[in-house]
């Protein structure tokens, strides 16, 4: 059981309570301590291939935490709402095998007897559960410009890419807003992301 930090009524249809929710989330973030080197492992997959004698190899960036041989991790394929899991067989960094790797680091991993062929660029390995969703609550840094609700933007997180739109109102640096993706994807709270917006195209 747990005790909620706050209870706020909101509506994704009318926008009721979103301002209050944004203010409360910002207050909680300001109280949060920076993540330590012991934070949960998360690896963004950018490539997978077969290697003779090794089987299926996944490469990517271990963004946080550490991974060790024999660790059991969750696998999250973006085109599959069901998560998997498996035990790590080997870890390679810069062409050398390691028993343990601390992130952030480039990494190649193999699994024990697991078919990782469905995993590809944009997928994740994580030690904790992620959420399969088509909407996320986000905030912008104070250096970013506001984005209109009707504007189509590109959402990049790790190696994941989705087209997205802002729901209901403008997305501004001083408040939280809701992004809606063109397709569902796996994410977890607190991940940094990049938004790209095409201003216009040149015609020759």
């Amino acid at each position: 059981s747990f005790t909620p930090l706050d209870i706020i009524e909101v509506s994704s249809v009318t926008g009721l309570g979103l301002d209050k929710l944004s203010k409360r989330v910002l207050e909680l973030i300001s109280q949060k301590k920076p993540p330590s080197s012991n934070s949960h492992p998360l690896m963004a997959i950018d490539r997978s291939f077969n290697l003779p004698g090794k089987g299926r190899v996944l490469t990517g960036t271990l963004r946080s935490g550490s991974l060790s041989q024999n660790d059991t991790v969750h696998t999250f394929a973006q085109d599959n709402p069901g998560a998997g899991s498996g035990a790590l067989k080997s870890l390679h960094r810069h062409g050398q095998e390691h028993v343990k790797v601390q992130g952030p680091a480039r990494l190649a991993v193999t699994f024990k007897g697991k078919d990782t062929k469905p995993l590809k660029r944009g997928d994740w390995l994580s030690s904790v559960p992620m959420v399969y969703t088509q909407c996320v609550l986000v905030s912008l840094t104070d250096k970013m410009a506001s984005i209109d609700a009707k504007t189509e933007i590109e959402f990049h997180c790790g190696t994941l890419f989705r087209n997205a739109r802002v729901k209901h109102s403008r997305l501004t640096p001083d408040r939280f807003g809701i992004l809606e993706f063109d397709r569902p994807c796996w994410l977890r709270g607190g991940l940094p992301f990049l938004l790209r917006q095409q201003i216009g195209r040149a015609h020759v």
Side-chain angles (χ1 to χ4, degrees):
S1 63
F2 66 94
T3 302
L5 295 174
D6 207 341
I7 299 176
I8 301 173
E9 294 185 359
V10 298
S11 171
S12 62
V13 177
T14 66
L16 174 69
L18 290 180
D19 286 339
K20 185 177 181 181
L21 177 62
S22 296
K23 182 178 179 181
R24 183 63 177 129
V25 172
L26 287 171
E27 290 174 353
L28 293 173
I29 289 177
S30 66
Q31 301 168 8
K32 184 178 179 181
K33 296 179 180 179
S36 68
S37 59
N38 296 321
S39 56
H40 298 296
L42 179 68
M43 178 174 164
I45 299 171
D46 55 38
R47 196 162 62 109
S48 66
F49 56 92
N50 288 318
L51 188 65
K54 293 290 185 180
R56 196 72 179 176
V57 179
L58 301 175
T59 68
T61 300
L62 180 60
R63 297 164 60 103
S64 61
S66 64
L67 289 175
S68 301
Q69 288 181 2
N70 302 315
D71 280 355
T72 297
V73 295
H74 302 296
T75 59
F76 299 95
Q78 299 297 355
D79 56 1
N80 187 348
S85 65
L88 296 175
K89 179 180 179 181
S90 66
L91 308 173
H92 285 79
R93 185 183 182 196
H94 303 311
Q96 295 186 345
E97 187 166 359
H98 294 263
V99 175
K100 180 178 181 179
V101 174
Q102 175 70 51
R106 289 290 301 165
L107 189 61
V109 304
T110 61
F111 281 85
K112 293 181 178 180
K114 179 178 176 60
D115 180 14
T116 56
K117 187 175 181 180
L119 295 174
K120 57 185 183 298
R121 184 177 182 84
D123 298 339
W124 302 98
L125 300 183
S126 175
S127 66
V128 297
M130 303 183 80
V131 178
Y132 196 64
T133 181
Q134 198 161 348
C135 291
V136 290
L137 186 69
V138 300
S139 66
L140 303 180
T141 66
D142 56 7
K143 296 181 180 180
M144 295 185 68
S146 298
I147 301 174
D148 288 325
K150 295 182 180 180
T151 304
E152 185 170 294
I153 51 181
E154 295 179 357
F155 175 89
H156 299 264
C157 182
T159 53
L160 166 68
F161 162 76
R162 285 290 186 270
N163 289 312
R165 289 185 183 276
V166 181
K167 295 193 70 173
H168 304 306
S169 61
R170 292 170 63 85
L171 186 60
T172 61
D174 59 345
R175 58 175 291 176
F176 277 77
I178 297 176
L179 280 186
E180 183 175 32
F181 303 128
D182 57 341
R183 292 173 292 144
C185 57
W186 288 101
L187 289 169
R188 79 184 194 198
L191 295 179
F193 59 89
L194 173 69
L195 297 180
R196 293 183 60 190
Q197 179 180 353
Q198 290 191 7
I199 303 300
R201 296 182 178 180
H203 296 273
V204 180

